[in-house]
Amino acid sequence: MVTGAGSGIGRAIAVEMAAEGARLVVLDYDEARARDTAREIEAAGGTARSVRGDVSVEVDVDRAVELAVSEFGVLDIMVNNAGVFDQNAPCVETSNELWDRVMAVDVRGTFFGVRRALREMLPRGQGSIVNMASVAGFVAEGGGAVYTAAKHAIVGLTKQVACEVGAQGVRVNALAPGLVFTGLFDNSSSVLGGLNPTGPLAAAAKERMTGSSIAAIPMGRGAEPQEVARVAVFLASDASSYVTGQTIVVDGGYIAH
């Protein structure tokens, strides 16, 4: 199962995993986009089912996992990719409502996905969970105040749960992408609606991010979604059988620089 699979990195992960033989349930806040991802997978000869859901709502996550189990028998892989960006809002321009919404999707949504997956995986003694962090989980200025706090939380959650369940056969890791060419700003703007920050500091921070990010990346470019997806496939597969509790940075050298 891949959450937030209607576009961007989530769609790339779902497509890449299907190409490796996984049968997918793709969940997205946008029902049409979820269907599009499933159709793309099936057109390439894979198997996928789509479902509309908000990961910050526990029953939506439960319903999607139940679909995966009823359709395919087991849940082997859970990718908690769904997230919303805070549009670079600094602390002073972050409303209570914006804080709550980003935390609900990015942190609570990941928590719901991890916990629900564990309930399926632990009785079988196997499974792989992959969470979506960010370079903002390690350094400042990869987002605004709430996004940075949320991604740090995902890194911590990943470590803690990995240590809790490692001896029971379930691995838990995370990915931390840097600049990736997706519709993150536009998609997040649609999800946030009236909660979008409108202050001048947020606008200036967005301009800095979009205008100077390439220069700060040693490889001199941003990533394509498929480049992140291939690392997700590695973490989900037996090729990473002795890897758990890790957050793998996929950023072209940005935070090393």
Side-chain angles (χ1 to χ4, degrees), residues 27 35 38:
L27 179 148
R35 286 199 302 266

Side-chain angles (χ1 to χ4, degrees), residues 53-243:
D54 180 342
V55 295
S56 70
V57 179
E58 185 177 8
V59 294
D60 284 6
V61 176
D62 287 344
R63 179 166 47 88
V65 172
E66 287 163 6
L67 174 63
V69 174
S70 66
E71 288 283 321
F72 307 132
V74 296
L75 181 71
D76 291 310
I77 300 163
M78 180 71 166
V79 181
N80 295 299
N81 166 77
V84 62
F85 190 57
D86 64 0
Q87 310 294 52
N88 286 106
C91 186
V92 72
E93 290 180 359
T94 298
S95 67
N96 294 349
E97 294 79 12
L98 176 62
W99 178 278
D100 289 346
R101 182 58 178 153
V102 173
M103 281 290 181
V105 175
D106 293 12
V107 181
R108 190 168 69 199
T110 299
F111 164 67
F112 285 157
V114 168
R115 187 174 64 183
R116 188 64 177 82
L118 290 176
R119 289 171 177 167
E120 296 296 329
M121 295 173 177
L122 288 174
R124 297 175 56 237
Q126 64 183 50
S128 177
I129 298 171
V130 181
N131 299 324
M132 189 58 65
S134 164
V135 293
F138 293 92
V139 297
E141 304 218 322
V146 59
Y147 185 78
T148 300
K151 294 304 182 178
H152 274 71
I154 290 170
V155 172
L157 177 67
T158 298
K159 292 177 181 179
Q160 176 63 32
V161 179
C163 291
E164 292 174 357
V165 302
Q168 296 165 269
V170 178
R171 296 184 299 108
V172 188
N173 293 289
L175 285 171
L179 177 65
V180 184
F181 295 117
T182 68
L184 178 62
F185 278 102
D186 291 340
N187 292 341
S188 294
S189 179
S190 176
V191 173
L192 292 174
L195 300 180
N196 278 288
T198 58
L201 297 178
K206 178 179 178 180
E207 182 65 27
R208 286 196 304 273
M209 173 177 280
T210 56
S212 64
S213 293
I214 295 293
I217 299 171
M219 288 185 69
R221 64 177 180 86
E224 296 296 333
Q226 292 77 13
E227 293 180 290
V228 180
R230 287 192 287 269
V231 184
V233 169
F234 166 72
L235 290 176
S237 75
D238 290 340
S240 60
S241 59
Y242 198 57
V243 180

